[in-house]
Amino acid sequence: MKLIESWRVAIVILMSFGSGAYAQDPPDLQDRLADLAALDGFIPLLWDEQQGKLFMQIENMGEDFLYQSSMPRGIGSNDLLLDRGQLGNTHVVRFFRSGPRVLLIADNLYFRATSDDLAEQAAVEQSFAESVLWGFPVELDNGDSVLVDATGFFLRDAHDLSTRLSRSGQGSYSVDPERSAIYLPRTRSFPDNSEVEAIMTYTGQPQFNGDQPNVLPSVVPDPTAITVHLHHSLVRLPDSQYTPVPFDPRAGYIGSPSEEGYIDYSSEVGSPMRTAYARTHRLEKQDPTAEISDPVEPIVYYVDPGTPEPIRSALVDGANWWNQAFEAAGYRDAFRVQILPVDADPMDVRYNVIQWVHRSTRGWSYGGSVVDPRTGEIIKGHVTLGSLRVRQDYLIAEGLLSPYGSDEVPGEMLEMSLARIRQLSAHEVGHTLGIAHNFAASTQGRSSVMDYPFPLIGFNEDGSLDLSDAYDTGIGEWDKRAILYGYQDFAEGVDESAARAAIIQQTIDSGLLFVDDADARDVGTAHPLGNLWDNGSDPLAELEHLLRVRQYALSRFSLHNIRDGRPTATLEEVLVPIYLLHRFQIEAAGKLLGGQNFSYQLRGDGQPDSEPVSASRQQQALDALLQTLAADFLVLPQHISALISPRPPGHSLGRESF
């Protein structure tokens, strides 16, 4: 291979001089160089099987590129938040040579000068610290490039697991180099990215105390040795043809690297110093002047082939909803969903992926992204879907329907569960497209999949429960407006700033509401429509409805809520989500107390001023809440408590129990 031949020539030249800094390189490396496995690509790699070392050939000293760490194999406990596929830090980095050592330096992009004045740029750069991520010893030098031993860099605690385990009360752990090694099957190099994976073992002693129970013994074969995989992506930076999308607090986007953005010290005095961009994928129309156009390149997402059917098809269907939003923005077939090829690496930055992730207990799903910190361009979308969510919805359906009174299991339970998975797939993919939560959407007829949906439960004409419309079946109107703002490709000559402002104004005029995470997640936040897991435009009416549903389900609760052969003690797990069916709607009603209606108003945009919830409305909410504290409401019906027997061996109380 050319890479090997260049180094063989270099060795002959160096040895012929017989002196100099690199003439005394270890002869074993020189002698064995031709036998090393070469992986040509963006940053060429050489694998020394005999020594277990991985070398990098560095050619473009000083040029910026992207470094991304991640964890392809996790620990499997939601308590630890160390899941399979978890993304780590993203840095813009460069190599710097000084004598026998090459430093990997991470740029500080939080403070910038965007002017063309080099002296002004230097003044900002020199005022704030950089970070040297690693120092590589130079092994060989052929003049045009150097060969460095990168083994130590790839076998370090790049995901900071030691600190995370300590902070979660699990004990003190550190990397054991004797039990860590390069994982060659997932170490590859391509024209624009080089991918390296390592088997990493952390050794230590688990910590046990009453305040923070240790979960490691429940998920690790030997809690004194925790072995995971860490991944490293070295990526060529995107070209300069991407146009950053301004972050607007009314548009419903996630900022990059956060809403705080960066500080521009070259901004004019009196102008805002802070600049932020929305996170978006690069998407262009073949013909920006056409009402409908094919994309130059579509956005393609890949579903984990390890997802079982029929869940896999549900994930594909739900993610594909986003094509409705791109069609509304004038694109034809711009968003596609496929199954990830079996031989593809889900951590490879070339693939947007939807991963099916298992944990020992239920936990959150996530939509993360690898983002160019300079511009907000999304390079890779990475969805983590917890596999137990579908089972929890099935459990809710069991509690609602009491379905096991005959030999035939109602199909609507599985249909409801799969409907939730479609919505979940669309929701998390939405985050990887750059879109934030909108917790007001449930009050406006499901105007966005970016809300947290509680099942919409109705009554049939015969008085039985109807789950056919439990979850949404497509993208919402708010989502279409958000995609239009972030992904519209404007024709040449169009004032993009004015065009995006017009899109925002049209959204405001349409009456669509947006309440962000920060004004919804905590029960103490003020906006009465910013709630998680609620339904309906009137939180009090929905609370009253859910209380009727709860009463109906509890009145029919029986042995028919569990399958034949199950311990009657496990009725408790089915009972919990039904007894507490109204708990999120209570929070929605409670936020009317002291509530304040407001918008993310900018001066001159015509949005109304903040207004408190009326006193009469607050009194109605207080009366409704007090009803749920009455003794006759809280008491468990006698026919249910009589059914639930003590726990038999092998069925101890768990997280799904009261």
Side-chain angles (χ1 to χ4, degrees):
M1 298 181 71
K2 292 182 178 179
L3 182 149
I4 293 292
E5 290 302 318
S6 68
W7 282 106
R8 294 174 79 177
V9 172
I11 290 170
V12 171
I13 295 173
L14 289 168
M15 294 182 68
S16 67
F17 281 104
S19 62
Y22 304 105
Q24 305 304 317
D25 287 314
D28 62 322
L29 177 60
Q30 296 175 4
D31 295 340
R32 292 183 295 103
L33 190 62
D35 297 326
L36 302 187
L39 290 80
D40 282 323
F42 172 56
I43 295 183
L45 305 171
L46 284 169
W47 169 243
D48 186 340
E49 178 73 26
Q50 182 176 334
Q51 298 292 328
K53 291 184 176 182
L54 189 66
F55 298 92
M56 288 195 305
Q57 181 182 356
I58 301 174
E59 299 172 321
N60 299 318
M61 201 74 65
E63 290 188 11
D64 284 343
F65 63 97
L66 201 68
Y67 169 62
Q68 175 70 47
S69 63
S70 56
M71 186 170 66
R73 299 193 188 187
I75 298 180
S77 168
N78 188 65
D79 294 340
L80 303 179
L81 297 177
L82 293 168
D83 299 320
R84 171 198 183 206
Q86 188 174 77
L87 297 177
N89 294 324
T90 307
H91 296 291
V92 173
V93 298
R94 67 187 187 279
F95 290 117
F96 175 79
R97 170 78 181 274
S98 180
R101 187 164 296 276
V102 173
L103 304 180
L104 182 64
I105 302 175
D107 293 338
N108 189 337
L109 297 178
Y110 295 107
F111 307 99
R112 312 181 197 177
T114 57
S115 70
D116 295 328
D117 189 324
L118 297 181
E120 188 174 24
Q121 294 176 22
V124 175
E125 291 172 2
Q126 294 166 16
S127 296
F128 298 96
E130 300 171 321
S131 293
V132 174
L133 302 182
W134 199 255
F136 303 89
V138 174
E139 302 292 331
L140 293 172
D141 183 350
N142 72 353
D144 295 327
S145 61
V146 297
L147 195 70
V148 301
D149 183 355
T151 313
F153 174 70
F154 294 125
L155 296 185
R156 80 195 200 285
D157 186 9
H159 209 68
D160 204 19
L161 257 71
S162 296
T163 301
R164 296 187 188 201
L165 290 171
S166 176
R167 286 178 177 173
S168 63
Q170 303 306 304
S172 179
Y173 288 84
S174 59
V175 173
D176 184 348
E178 297 299 318
R179 287 186 256 185
S180 302
I182 300 296
Y183 185 66
L184 208 58
R186 290 298 191 201
T187 297
R188 304 172 180 179
S189 205
F190 306 98
D192 294 319
N193 61 301
S194 297
E195 310 284 339
V196 177
E197 193 159 310
I199 302 172
M200 301 295 297
T201 300
Y202 296 77
T203 56
Q205 290 296 323
Q207 176 179 314
F208 297 93
N209 60 67
D211 296 332
Q212 294 175 305
N214 196 288
V215 300
L216 290 174
S218 67
V219 290
V220 179
D222 180 353
T224 67
I226 305 167
T227 301
V228 298
H229 281 211
L230 299 186
H231 194 89
H232 309 260
S233 299
L234 312 173
V235 188
R236 191 187 309 278
L237 283 171
D239 61 36
S240 60
Q241 300 306 305
Y242 171 82
T243 302
V245 177
F247 177 80
D248 189 305
R250 305 165 298 173
Y253 272 81
I254 305 168
S256 176
S258 67
E259 284 80 352
E260 288 73 31
Y262 66 90
I263 303 298
D264 185 357
Y265 284 87
S266 61
S267 61
E268 294 182 3
V269 176
S271 299
M273 295 179 65
R274 192 175 301 279
T275 300
Y277 301 126
R279 300 181 181 186
T280 61
H281 286 272
R282 183 181 303 207
L283 186 66
E284 301 168 307
K285 293 180 178 178
Q286 291 184 11
D287 182 3
T289 64
E291 184 176 350
I292 301 292
S293 170
D294 289 325
V296 174
E297 281 191 36
I299 301 171
V300 182
Y301 272 66
Y302 296 89
V303 171
D304 191 338
T307 312
E309 288 288 7
I311 298 170
R312 183 194 304 173
S313 294
L315 296 183
V316 173
D317 291 345
N320 262 321
W321 290 355
W322 282 104
N323 204 40
Q324 302 168 18
F326 285 102
E327 287 176 350
Y331 289 95
R332 181 186 299 109
D333 197 22
F335 186 85
R336 304 174 188 174
V337 185
Q338 303 173 12
I339 305 300
L340 185 70
V342 176
D343 61 342
D345 183 356
M347 306 317 298
D348 188 329
V349 294
R350 297 175 301 165
Y351 298 102
N352 304 303
V353 298
I354 303 171
Q355 271 197 301
W356 190 241
V357 176
H358 303 289
R359 306 183 182 101
S360 61
T361 57
R362 283 190 297 127
W364 299 103
S365 295
Y366 302 96
S369 301
V370 177
V371 179
D372 183 347
R374 306 169 306 164
T375 63
E377 179 181 358
I378 297 172
I379 297 169
K380 171 189 175 65
H382 195 105
V383 172
T384 294
L385 295 182
S387 66
L388 296 181
R389 180 63 63 86
V390 65
R391 299 178 187 273
Q392 182 68 14
D393 268 83
Y394 199 89
L395 183 71
I396 293 172
E398 287 179 317
L400 290 170
L401 298 181
S402 190
Y404 302 116
S406 64
D407 294 335
E408 186 175 347
V409 177
E412 58 191 311
M413 296 197 301
L414 180 59
E415 285 306 313
M416 170 180 156
S417 303
L418 293 177
R420 174 67 179 107
I421 287 301
R422 293 186 190 96
Q423 195 283 336
L424 180 63
S425 178
H427 178 100
E428 300 303 345
V429 167
H431 284 318
T432 69
L433 294 173
I435 302 177
H437 286 132
N438 182 0
F439 287 125
S442 57
T443 70
Q444 293 193 300
R446 296 169 164 176
S447 64
S448 174
V449 297
M450 302 312 296
D451 204 333
Y452 284 176
F454 194 75
L456 194 59
I457 307 163
F459 283 99
N460 293 309
E461 290 185 2
D462 62 0
S464 61
L465 295 182
D466 178 13
L467 304 183
S468 62
D469 194 30
Y471 294 107
D472 211 348
T473 56
I475 219 69
E477 290 305 310
W478 167 263
D479 305 319
K480 294 177 182 179
R481 300 300 304 176
I483 289 295
L484 186 64
Y485 175 83
Y487 286 88
Q488 182 62 276
D489 188 13
F490 301 102
E492 186 176 352
V494 171
D495 184 338
E496 289 196 17
S497 178
R500 293 194 197 279
I503 291 172
I504 291 286
Q505 193 60 53
Q506 292 163 7
T507 303
I508 293 171
D509 294 342
S510 74
L512 289 169
L513 299 176
F514 169 51
V515 178
D516 194 27
D517 217 300
D519 295 305
R521 188 172 294 275
D522 192 282
V523 295
T525 53
H527 204 299
L529 300 183
N531 294 287
L532 286 61
W533 312 109
D534 67 329
N535 271 317
S537 59
D538 185 341
L540 300 184
E542 181 63 20
L543 176 59
E544 182 180 344
H545 170 72
L546 275 182
L547 294 183
R548 291 198 303 270
V549 173
R550 176 183 181 272
Q551 178 59 35
Y552 175 87
L554 289 178
S555 69
R556 300 180 68 251
F557 201 87
S558 69
L559 292 176
H560 294 159
N561 286 83
I562 58 173
R563 296 175 185 265
D564 283 342
R566 293 287 297 162
T568 56
T570 61
L571 280 167
E572 183 175 348
E573 281 88 313
V574 187
L575 173 65
V576 170
I578 304 308
Y579 182 84
L580 300 175
L581 192 71
H582 60 302
R583 64 196 185 280
F584 297 114
Q585 203 64 38
I586 281 180
E587 293 184 3
K591 288 184 72 173
L592 291 170
L593 301 177
Q596 185 91 355
N597 289 288
F598 62 89
S599 62
Y600 303 115
Q601 185 182 35
L602 302 187
R603 180 178 175 180
D605 68 4
Q607 295 192 81
D609 295 333
S610 299
E611 183 179 10
V613 175
S614 68
S616 60
R617 186 68 167 157
Q618 294 192 49
Q619 185 63 56
Q620 291 173 358
L622 182 58
D623 293 341
L625 291 171
L626 288 174
Q627 293 180 34
T628 67
L629 297 179
D632 59 351
F633 177 85
L634 293 173
V635 70
L636 188 65
Q638 179 59 33
H639 80 277
I640 296 178
S641 57
L643 290 173
I644 302 177
S645 62
R647 310 296 293 194
H651 294 81
S652 58
L653 291 171
R655 298 188 182 198
E656 307 303 335
S657 313
F658 274 110

